[in-house]
Amino acid sequence: MEEVHVTLTAEQRVGTATHCPYCALQCGMTVTGTTVAPREFPTNGGGLCQKGWTSGALLTSPARLTTPLVRVDGELVPAAWDDALDLIARRLTEIQARHGKDAAAVFGGGGLTNEKSYLLGKFARIALGTSQVDYNGRFCMSSAAAAGNKAFGLDRGLPFPLTDLAEADAVLLVGSNPAETMPPFMQHLRHAKEIGGLVVVDPRRTPTAEQGNLHLAPAPGTDLALALGILHAAVADGHVDWSYVDERTRGFDAVWRIVARWWPERVERVTGVSAADQRRVAERLANARNAYILTARGTEQHASGSDTVSAWINLALALGLPGRRGSGYGCLTGQGNGQGGREHGQKADQLPGYRKIDDPAAREHVAGVWGVPAESLPGPGRSAYELLDALGTEDGPKALLVFGSNVVVSAPRSAHIADRLSALDFLVVSDLVLSETAALADVVLPVTQWAEESGTMTNLEGRVLLRRRALEPPAGVRTDLEVLQGLATRLGQPAERFPVDAESVFTELREASRGGLADYSGITYDRLRAGEALYWPVPAEEHEGTPRVFLDRFAHADGRARFVPVEHRGPAEPTDEEFPLQLTTGRVLQHYQSGAQTRLVSELNDVVPEAYVEVHPDTAARCGLSEGEWARLASRRGEMTARVRCVSSMRPDVVFLPFHFAGAQRANLLTNPALDPTSRMPEFKVCAVKLEVA
């Protein structure tokens, strides 16, 4: 492939103020041609991480797709757009005529703009008439969302501006490694660290844990027990804010009946975290003038993830933190539009505005905006892993359209998922590069990337941002919105029902969200262009937005938050004689998600070009391994290879793999698809493995 060349207008040569294509921090940047520079913005304070600095490299990458590809005699060959879209529409129509509407499925992504997420859900439910639509955000934030909805009646990752953290005297980070995943975030923790108030909970001694004043290293899958122990200490040592509990919450007594059995010494035996450290954390949070508890994937990606997050929220409520200016609980959203992506309808059980798809009033409202009968909308479909697991089965979808996701690398038990994709009658992937998932497709559609299109993103604070187009896309490339319109019209829909202009789609999204929990109806592109800081809900154009959601009341009908009784269960898959080690997975600084993009950036890939396994030196020696050797890791689901890194701070019973690599180096060849019963989140963060010489 040749390098893609770009043409700039005079305005674009000056530079376009936009936002980074990667994580939910959505750092402010300026793009001039393919050159990226940081700009002042509240989340990043003028900084960028290594991924952000190098993000311009993909704009001219020779790996970019610039023409549709269609599989002929087993090979993907170039095709004209009309031919590719005609083929897709014909095959979808044939498959649905033979097997029913739910024989076609749609899988989206947490990096899609709000406009794409919205139109994708609308396309699935109207143009295809299928209930089978979900997205990879189910693998990222769903447990925290479920717990937040139970406790507060509403899920917004951070219900306060990120800059509020700068005044915190104490911050408890649970299962989060922002020093690698979103480095500019760390500046907001500077004050807490300087006065000794930064506590990090992580089985590994991560770069974030290195910066903490106190590091708690529980065994993987025991976070819930740790939260119970700290809450027990808070009660026993007199740290509970009883006036707050009485005035602003319900349900503490039911929680205490469980917590009373989890005294710190018992928790120490389960988690490995000392009783003294548990009491120290409770005291530090309670005595702080301003304190926050923040959770992330490490505590959420478990078969008990929703309950685990509820346990941390219970601790926050007992200390009187949520809904108080300068303090609170929050979830650090991961993907670029992980927040907005779950609000506007690409999730199996939701309609735009964070409405429930089985709510009759919600169906009436959204159907009215879409101009269709409410009864024509399908009901809830399968969650992400369940959808992928059902592909090609007797009762499952026979065709799948994938937008913005690389499930061959990112899904748990990934060899099985690759088999399921191969069992499909028809697979379509819309992407900017030939990802591992796209390489399996029958049709691949080349689409624009972040700097070549406009659209809105909702960052980890619930702030809606405008990402502006900085340059023209390469010839032959279309936007996802154009793809959806092209398919919808071929499936019999009027073109005006599926606009291709992002601002027009957003105008419709505003109406569809009006009156919902995530109400965007008062947000306009003009307000965003003018630089207004608009945090949802924004229920009217004259409304200034809601940066701090719960100051006056929580979103339950009575205005009170709910304590949720939860019990520790431990990992779904215990270790045994055959598989004696616990595997945990995560990200590294240089790569993002499945690595489909960052592995193409030489400045990043040259630093971390292959998978590695972090292991304690004694554990490595017992397995006959030493630094730099290739190891074989195996679980009950598969095996993979990685190069050994001996790390003396690792727990001897734990190994770590980054999940960004493909082929035989996929961490998710090993991971356990056991699902949380509420969020349907797979248990990515712990499974039983064995380690041996490759």
Side-chain angles (χ1 to χ4, degrees):
M1 292 185 182
E2 296 182 357
E3 186 175 272
V4 174
H5 296 281
V6 299
T7 303
L8 303 181
T9 66
E11 182 182 6
Q12 289 164 346
R13 291 191 189 97
V14 175
T16 302
T18 187
H19 295 272
C20 180
Y22 291 115
C23 79
L25 209 56
Q26 286 296 286
C27 295
M29 58 167 54
T30 301
V31 178
T32 308
T34 59
T35 302
V36 167
R39 65 181 174 90
E40 282 295 327
F41 191 72
T43 58
N44 61 307
L48 286 177
C49 75
Q50 192 174 3
K51 292 186 289 292
W53 273 111
T54 59
S55 57
L58 271 177
L59 298 173
T60 55
S61 171
R64 281 296 302 277
L65 296 173
T66 56
T67 186
L69 303 174
V70 172
R71 193 169 297 278
V72 178
D73 296 329
E75 299 293 326
L76 287 171
V77 298
W81 268 100
D82 282 344
D83 292 342
L85 294 176
D86 287 346
L87 171 62
I88 296 169
R90 184 176 71 252
R91 294 290 287 122
L92 291 175
T93 300
E94 291 170 353
I95 288 168
Q96 288 189 308
R98 191 178 309 123
H99 301 287
K101 293 295 187 182
D102 281 354
V106 176
F107 199 92
L112 301 179
T113 63
N114 289 316
E115 292 81 0
K116 293 180 185 180
S117 300
Y118 170 80
L119 211 64
L120 191 63
K122 181 180 180 181
F123 172 84
R125 294 179 173 109
I126 293 182
L128 291 176
T130 181
S131 68
Q132 303 299 293
V133 53
D134 211 76
Y135 82 126
N136 65 14
R138 181 78 71 168
F139 298 158
C140 295
M141 289 74 60
S142 58
S143 289
N149 282 323
K150 287 180 183 178
F152 309 125
L154 180 147
D155 155 50
R156 200 180 88 184
L158 295 185
F160 47 81
L162 183 60
T163 49
D164 282 4
L165 294 174
E167 302 300 319
D169 298 324
V171 176
L172 176 61
L173 273 178
V174 187
S176 179
N177 183 20
E180 288 196 274
T181 60
M182 48 177 68
F185 174 91
M186 295 301 291
Q187 65 189 289
H188 300 286
L189 306 179
R190 192 175 297 134
H191 175 70
K193 174 178 166 54
E194 287 174 351
I195 66 171
L198 180 57
V199 181
V200 179
V201 177
D202 199 301
R204 299 168 59 224
R205 185 83 176 164
T206 64
T208 304
E210 290 282 356
Q211 296 189 44
N213 304 109
L214 178 62
H215 174 212
L216 310 184
T222 64
D223 288 16
L224 201 161
L226 179 59
L228 297 175
I230 297 173
L231 179 51
H232 185 111
V235 176
D237 296 344
H239 298 311
V240 174
D241 186 338
W242 291 113
S243 62
Y244 175 98
V245 170
D246 291 341
E247 294 168 10
R248 301 205 61 187
T249 74
R250 292 191 186 281
F252 177 81
D253 289 347
V255 165
W256 174 244
R257 281 193 285 273
I258 296 172
V259 172
R261 303 194 300 270
W262 287 92
W263 55 93
E265 286 76 14
R266 179 189 178 192
V267 170
E268 179 176 347
R269 293 194 295 273
V270 172
T271 66
V273 175
S274 73
D277 279 347
Q278 295 172 55
R279 294 188 173 97
R280 191 173 294 126
V281 172
E283 181 181 17
R284 194 165 297 181
L285 290 170
N287 291 342
R289 178 175 50 92
N290 294 322
Y292 291 88
I293 296 175
L294 305 175
T295 63
R297 306 301 81 72
T299 205
E300 297 161 19
Q301 289 180 324
H302 296 272
S304 57
S306 296
D307 284 356
T308 304
V309 177
S310 289
W312 293 112
I313 293 175
N314 289 342
L315 174 62
L317 290 171
L319 297 173
L321 305 183
R324 179 159 65 84
R325 187 179 289 270
S327 294
Y329 161 80
C331 157
L332 299 182
T333 304
Q335 293 189 80
N337 200 32
Q339 181 69 57
R342 66 182 184 262
E343 295 169 0
H344 297 300
Q346 65 169 331
K347 194 161 170 272
D349 56 353
Q350 285 179 355
L351 289 172
Y354 227 141
R355 290 179 160 93
K356 287 290 185 184
I357 198 168
D358 54 4
D359 175 0
R363 293 170 64 85
E364 284 288 345
H365 174 83
V366 174
V369 174
W370 289 351
V372 299
E375 60 272 17
S376 70
L377 299 180
R382 294 178 173 92
S383 70
Y385 181 79
E386 291 165 305
L387 173 58
L388 296 173
D389 184 45
L391 297 176
T393 63
E394 183 177 353
D395 297 326
K398 308 299 188 293
L400 178 68
L401 282 69
V402 179
F403 291 79
S405 190
N406 186 16
V407 294
V408 168
V409 176
S410 64
R413 198 184 172 197
S414 59
H416 171 70
I417 297 306
D419 288 343
R420 300 279 25 99
L421 291 170
S422 298
L424 286 166
D425 292 347
F426 194 58
L427 174 62
V428 179
V429 176
S430 175
D431 211 330
L432 59 105
V433 296
L434 193 68
S435 70
E436 287 73 22
T437 304
L440 299 178
D442 297 290
V443 181
V444 182
L445 301 176
V447 292
T448 50
Q449 57 177 308
W450 61 285
E452 301 161 355
E453 60 186 12
S454 293
T456 60
M457 308 285 281
T458 306
N459 75 351
L460 78 173
E461 317 160 291
R463 178 175 175 175
V464 182
L465 309 169
L466 181 61
R467 262 197 340 204
R468 297 171 172 85
R469 186 167 75 169
L471 67 162
E472 297 293 323
V477 170
R478 297 187 182 181
T479 68
D480 285 302
L481 300 182
E482 290 172 324
V483 169
L484 291 173
Q485 187 195 64
L487 291 175
T489 54
R490 285 168 171 80
L491 294 169
Q493 294 292 313
E496 61 272 16
R497 185 169 278 167
F498 290 87
V500 298
D501 172 66
E503 187 169 359
S504 299
V505 176
F506 190 79
T507 299
E508 184 181 308
L509 179 158
R510 292 170 56 205
E511 290 306 310
S513 74
R514 187 182 297 276
L517 289 173
D519 191 334
Y520 283 32
S521 60
I523 304 173
T524 66
Y525 267 43
D526 284 342
R527 296 185 73 181
L528 296 175
R529 291 186 189 104
E532 289 191 58
L534 297 174
Y535 302 79
W536 69 259
V538 189
E541 288 191 39
E542 60 275 12
H543 193 281
E544 61 184 14
T546 316
R548 298 172 186 85
V549 185
F550 303 129
L551 292 183
D552 299 321
R553 65 192 314 276
F554 295 100
H556 289 297
D558 61 2
R560 292 173 176 251
R562 302 291 193 266
F563 282 93
V564 177
V566 290
E567 180 64 85
H568 171 66
R569 299 194 296 276
E573 181 178 70
T575 57
D576 59 19
E577 195 170 315
E578 183 180 4
F579 299 101
L581 299 172
Q582 289 183 308
L583 166 70
T584 190
T585 66
R587 286 202 266 157
V588 299
L589 173 63
Q590 288 77 18
H591 288 295
Y592 181 72
Q593 301 300 84
S594 74
Q597 297 176 56
T598 51
R599 284 186 274 115
L600 297 174
V601 178
S602 59
E603 289 180 60
L604 302 175
N605 203 55
D606 289 350
V607 179
V608 186
E610 61 191 8
Y612 59 86
V613 55
E614 289 186 359
V615 57
H616 191 280
D618 293 347
T619 305
R622 284 197 301 273
C623 297
L625 292 160
S626 58
E627 178 76 21
E629 291 186 334
W630 283 99
R632 172 181 174 268
L633 289 94
S635 75
R636 292 177 177 87
R637 288 153 296 280
E639 62 181 63
M640 58 86 69
T641 55
R643 201 177 288 278
V644 171
R645 285 191 184 182
C646 291
V647 179
S648 58
S649 62
M650 286 292 291
R651 292 177 56 109
D653 57 348
V654 174
V655 295
F656 167 80
L657 285 171
F659 55 61
H660 312 289
F661 300 95
Q665 296 189 353
R666 280 176 286 170
N668 282 318
L669 289 166
L670 311 179
T671 48
N672 188 357
L675 300 181
D676 182 287
T678 303
S679 68
R680 316 309 288 167
M681 167 80 83
E683 186 152 272
F684 286 102
K685 279 295 183 274
V686 57
C687 69
V689 298
K690 60 183 174 183
L691 179 70
E692 55 194 23
V693 177

